[in-house]
């Protein structure tokens, strides 16, 4: 009985699980590009290592090593891979660091000082990074582990006391190697948990699209990694800014991702577009009113001829009043995605009236319009853009079939008016696009859109328009300077000596 109850609860939870409107897959083909940019970022971070001064003595030999700084970093071998449990693993082997420091050496009564070069060789670094969803739906680095070791140090001593230095250098190099071992992982831990999270914070969660509508890209669950890709599920829902708590139930087909040939894939369901159109509908944006000179002259003359019988019965003060044509969408438009293409169905009312000055308007007719638009979806940079074309158009009367027949002469002029006057306004707005959830500085290139039954997929490659270091400098560094350094330092067990 208990087993049956548990099974029932599992089914119930699955039935009420929220479906994503947008999915994203990062494939292993993107890792080489990410690794190249990531290694450049790590090089810049490791070059900021600050090594404590080293002081000591051995018999009559006293030394003080200070102002140790990293001057260059070389990484000859590195691998970045997805891992089912730890998301991303970076392995660096046989790396080397160039260093420069100030020496102050005393042997009996002989003193020597100055600057000297050194190198750390055989450096191995192993890091594991885990991604998760925070309570707001933002993607973040939730765990970062690190192990690092330096195999050997070499100091280029010279001068009068070179032979003495060579004999006693192991005391200095062993101490420097120990200190360097202790510094690598704290720097990388800070880069992963603090700086990388500042980059991920640029991925939009709930943001405004324009002055009327916003979009919600909250992660619905933690990212899921396999050996070949990383999958993320986003809510992908629009909402009116005046009703931030409103949401459209998602009853669309769940988008699917199967491909792995490109660096990244985005899948978007019909729900994504339906929520956008219903949000604009609820915001009162899907209406248009043309009065007087805004009504095309030829259409104005045709409307007056069509409704001449009604106009002639009006008072002389009203007959020559400006014409008004009002178009108002009556129900939220709906999107249909098929392998053959994407269409949007619209039902609207068209009201024709005269607007005499300082008097109530006089309605001449009210009719219903059914229209079908074809939508061409494209992804440019990070912006998902839509170009609309009017394909089918039909008007009919709300009053009688006889009046519907009388409206036939208006069919083509109204369609032309929509194509010339309304569609450019719509496309001006839809071609602005809406951002797909990617961090700042990363764009899509070489995009290919493929339609399926109920959803579409976009395959693309990635391009770093800005370096990781530049983006982090912009979004984090000013605040980072005031943060206590201890907050980014991992437990000492994370830095392997």
């Amino acid at each position: 009985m208990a087993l049956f109850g548990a099974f029932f609860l599992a089914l119930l939870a699955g039935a009420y699980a929220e479906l994503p409107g947008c999915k994203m897959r990062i494939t292993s083909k993107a890792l080489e590009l990410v690794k190249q940019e990531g290694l450049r970022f790590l090089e810049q971070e490791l070059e900021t290592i600050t090594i404590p001064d080293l002081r000591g003595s051995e018999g009559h030999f006293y030394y003080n090593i200070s102002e140790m700084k990293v001057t260059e970093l070389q990484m000859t071998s590195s691998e970045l891979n997805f891992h089912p449990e730890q998301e991303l693993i970076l392995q660096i082997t046989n790396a080397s660091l160039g260093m420069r420091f100030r020496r102050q050496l005393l042997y009996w009564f002989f003193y020597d000082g100055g600057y000297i070069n050194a190198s750390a060789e055989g450096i191995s670094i192993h890091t594991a990074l885990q991604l998760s969803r925070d309570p707001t739906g933002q993607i973040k680095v939730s765990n970062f582990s690190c192990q690092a070791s330096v195999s050997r140090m070499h100091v280029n001593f010279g001068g009068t006391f070179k032979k003495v230095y060579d004999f006693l250098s192991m005391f200095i190099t062993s101490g420097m190697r120990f200190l360097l071992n202790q510094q690598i992982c704290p720097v990388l831990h800070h880069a992963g948990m603090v700086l990388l999270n500042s980059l991920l914070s640029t991925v939009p969660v709930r943001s405004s699209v324009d002055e009327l509508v916003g979009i919600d890209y909250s992660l619905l669950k933690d990212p899921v990694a396999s050996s070949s890709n990383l999958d993320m599920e986003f809510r992908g829902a629009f909402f009116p800014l005046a009703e931030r708590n409103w949401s459209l139930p998602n009853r669309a087909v769940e988008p699917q991702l199967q491909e792995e040939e490109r660096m990244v894939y985005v899948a978007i369901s019909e729900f994504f577009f339906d929520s956008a159109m219903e949000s604009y509908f609820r915001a009162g944006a899907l209406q248009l009113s043309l009065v007087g000179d805004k009504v095309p002259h030829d259409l104005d003359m045709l409307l007056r001829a069509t409704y001449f019988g009604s106009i002639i019965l009006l008072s002389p003060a009203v007959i020559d009043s400006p014409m008004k044509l009002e178009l108002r969408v009556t129900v939220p438009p709906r999107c249909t995605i098929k392998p053959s293409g994407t269409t949007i169905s619209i039902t609207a009312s068209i009201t024709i009236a005269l607007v005499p000055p300082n008097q109530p308007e006089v309605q001449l007719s009210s009719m219903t319009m059914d229209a079908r638009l074809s939508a061409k979806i494209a992804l440019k940079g990070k912006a998902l853009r839509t170009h609309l074309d009017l394909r089918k158009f039909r008007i009919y009367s709300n009053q009688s079939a006889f009046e519907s027949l009388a409206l036939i002469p208006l069919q083509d002029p109204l369609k032309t008016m929509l194509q010339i006057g309304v569609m450019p306004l719509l496309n001006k707005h839809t071609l602005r696009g809406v951002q797909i959830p990617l961090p700042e500085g990363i764009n899509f290139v070489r995009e290919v859109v493929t339609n399926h039954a109920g959803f579409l997929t976009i395959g693309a490659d990635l391009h770093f328009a800005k370096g990781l270091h530049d983006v982090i400098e912009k979004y984090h560094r000013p605040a980072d300077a005031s943060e206590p350094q201890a907050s980014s330092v991992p437990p000492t067990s994370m830095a392997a000596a």
Side-chain angles (χ1 to χ4, degrees), residues 132-140 205-206 218-219 222 235:
S132 66
R133 170 192 180 275
D134 75 4
T136 68
Q138 181 80 55
I139 185 172
K140 68 172 185 177
V205 178
R206 285 177 67 90
S218 301
L219 273 175
D222 292 342
R235 178 168 287 120

Side-chain angles (χ1 to χ4, degrees), residues 103 112 116 155-163 165-166:
R103 72 183 188 276
D112 185 36
I116 194 168
V155 181
N156 299 319
F157 285 113
T160 306
F161 301 101
K162 181 178 185 302
K163 291 185 179 180
Y165 295 157
D166 289 342

Side-chain angles (χ1 to χ4, degrees), residues 33 43 63 85 88 113 125 136 199 264 396 432:
L33 177 66
E43 288 177 7
Y63 57 88
E85 294 181 0
L88 279 172
I125 301 173
T136 68
L199 174 69
V264 61
Y396 55 92
R432 295 176 188 170

